[in-house]
Amino acid sequence: MIQSGNIMKKLLLILLIGTFAFAKVDYAQNMPSFDNPRNWLIRVNDSNTEKLNHIINAVNNVLKGYPEEALHIEIVFYANGIRAARKDYNKKILRRIKSLMVYDTIRFVVCKNTMDTMGWKKNEFIGGVDYVQIGIAEAIERIADGWIDVSPY
């Protein structure tokens, strides 16, 4: 009896994975396009590896649901979150961040105020990031411009 219960659980899991793997996104408004992209802001203010992995997983999942040219993502690192963009941070997460840098529609931004407070220099951060003076102000301006502010954790 226990054996058949385990088999049923495995079959159900396979069915659910198969369903989600081929799931179609139903868009709330007009379908996003090059002329009408979705603009997604992600604020990173924590360097917790579990949260960062979750963010990266969410970005990868969303990239599967939208045509690349129809989605712009800006990831703003500020406060303790800028540690995740340093060259000496967790190597696995840095590889995953760098793998997202191949997309022209994803921008990574680091807060210079936090850098100054910590006494860190630009050469201590991974290449490919942009810098703004005030990370949280960058986030506020994106939100004011209509960007979708959804934290995936």
Side-chain angles (χ1 to χ4, degrees), residues 33-34 36-41 67-74 104-107 147-148:
S33 65
F34 180 80
N36 182 37
R38 296 292 189 257
N39 297 312
W40 180 20
L41 170 69
E68 182 181 345
E69 69 278 359
L71 178 67
H72 296 157
I73 300 172
E74 183 163 313
D104 293 332
T105 57
I106 301 178
R107 180 177 180 228
W147 284 59
I148 300 163

Side-chain angles (χ1 to χ4, degrees), residues 7-22:
I7 292 171
M8 290 301 293
K9 286 180 184 178
K10 288 179 183 178
L11 288 174
L12 182 59
L13 180 61
I14 291 169
L15 178 64
L16 287 173
I17 289 171
T19 300
F20 290 119
F22 299 103

Side-chain angles (χ1 to χ4, degrees), residues 55-65 96 99-100 103:
I55 289 169
I56 295 166
N57 289 343
V59 169
N60 281 316
N61 286 333
V62 170
L63 287 170
K64 294 174 189 172
R96 296 189 74 206
S99 75
L100 293 174
Y103 294 94

Side-chain angles (χ1 to χ4, degrees), residues 78-93:
Y78 64 99
N80 193 39
I82 76 166
R83 291 180 189 279
R86 285 180 48 93
K87 290 177 183 175
D88 61 353
Y89 189 67
N90 180 289
K91 299 298 182 202
K92 181 180 177 188
I93 290 181

Side-chain angles (χ1 to χ4, degrees), residues 100-119:
L100 293 174
M101 290 181 162
V102 301
Y103 294 94
D104 293 332
T105 57
I106 301 178
R107 180 177 180 228
F108 294 85
V109 179
V110 173
C111 175
K112 287 172 57 179
N113 276 358
T114 305
M115 285 173 55
D116 294 344
T117 299
M118 300 302 288

